[in-house]
Amino acid sequence: AQSVTQPDIHITVSEGASLELRCNYSYGATPYLFWYVQSPGQGLQLLLKYFSGDTLVQGIKGFEAEFKRSQSSFNLRKPSVHWSDAAEYFCASGGGSTLGRLYFGRGTQLTVWP
Amino acid sequence: SQTIHQWPATLVQPVGSPLSLECTVEGTSNPNLYWYRQAAGRGLQLLFYSVGIGQISSEVPQNLSASRPQDRQFILSSKKLLLSDSGFYLCAWWGLGEAFFGQGTRLTVV
């Protein structure tokens, strides 16, 4: 079975600082990997995804993520955080027999200090 | 373009009352549809998914049920709500290599 772990429940950074959100997955094969962002009371918006190929993936809003098979990780990064990036971030994996069935981590709440 | 509609946005229901949440998708046909629940401080848990009309798969045993009466309609129901059913419910469809989510329904059972 697949699972996703986001070890950090809450992260606080200052505006302009760099950001890295951690994500580890458990799956026998190479999974599809996603990062979603959720603003309060809203649905989820896709930031970026990895299916295959280049292990460094660029997404929207200046985010990027790197797939590292040896570490079973897919960490999300941003070089300079903006106050509007404050939200909850979810890592998810998929790739099993049911297309679109995703396994989510519990999320990381990001707070940005001015 | 494809859009997903989910309603109502918020709902307060007494314990023991019935529930019906509706989700519809536009701009696509025969989508894979999903119901997720997000409890406070927790991630998203998949409740049900459907790959076609009348086809429902349940991920976890619970007080809820799902139905897919039409190709682009997915309904989440309960006959008698429990306090533990409170949470944020999200409908999603899979297409173009990603999952698209509705805006969610905040359900509070009192």
Side-chain angles (χ1 to χ4, degrees):
Chain A
Q2 294 188 51
S3 66
V4 174
T5 301
Q6 292 180 248
D8 304 306
I9 296 175
H10 194 181
I11 285 183
T12 300
V13 299
S14 298
E15 191 169 18
S18 63
L19 171 70
E20 182 170 32
L21 303 182
R22 296 183 291 167
C23 172
N24 293 96
Y25 68 89
S26 174
Y27 187 50
T30 299
Y32 304 150
L33 295 164
F34 307 83
W35 274 100
Y36 282 86
V37 61
Q38 184 183 33
S39 298
Q42 298 296 309
L44 276 69
Q45 180 185 24
L46 181 70
L47 288 175
L48 46 78
K49 61 186 176 184
Y50 172 79
F51 281 4
S52 65
D54 193 347
T55 57
L56 184 62
V57 180
Q58 302 296 322
I60 62 171
K61 304 184 180 184
F63 286 94
E64 66 177 26
E66 186 172 12
F67 170 62
K68 293 185 177 180
R69 185 190 306 276
S70 61
Q71 299 178 20
S72 298
S73 69
F74 189 56
N75 294 348
L76 182 70
R77 301 193 294 249
K78 187 169 184 177
S80 178
V81 171
H82 189 263
W83 65 266
S84 60
D85 293 325
E88 189 153 25
Y89 292 79
F90 292 94
C91 181
S93 73
S97 58
T98 299
L99 191 61
R101 196 252 183 265
L102 298 182
Y103 297 80
F104 282 85
R106 64 179 176 179
T108 298
Q109 182 67 48
L110 174 65
T111 298
V112 180
W113 285 29
Chain B
S1 63
Q2 302 86 358
T3 56
I4 180 167
H5 301 281
Q6 190 179 339
W7 66 92
T10 60
L11 193 58
V12 180
Q13 292 284 100
V15 169
S17 65
L19 173 74
S20 181
L21 302 181
E22 188 162 344
C23 172
T24 59
V25 181
E26 296 178 356
T28 185
S29 59
N30 197 30
N32 282 10
L33 297 173
Y34 306 82
W35 277 111
Y36 288 88
R37 178 171 60 198
Q38 184 179 17
R42 301 179 64 180
L44 280 75
Q45 179 186 38
L46 180 64
L47 302 176
F48 301 95
Y49 66 90
S50 171
V51 299
I53 296 174
Q55 301 180 61
I56 307 295
S57 296
S58 174
E59 285 288 307
V60 293
Q62 58 211 319
N63 185 44
L64 302 169
S65 62
S67 62
R68 186 165 175 180
Q70 301 180 40
D71 181 44
R72 287 169 287 181
Q73 184 184 31
F74 202 23
I75 297 172
L76 184 68
S77 304
S78 174
K79 293 182 179 179
K80 292 184 177 182
L81 284 169
L82 306 173
L83 288 174
S84 58
D85 292 323
S86 293
F88 192 55
Y89 289 82
L90 287 158
C91 179
W93 74 276
W94 175 265
L96 308 175
E98 66 179 86
F100 294 87
F101 288 83
Q103 291 299 295
T105 296
R106 172 72 59 191
L107 172 66
T108 304
V109 182
V110 297

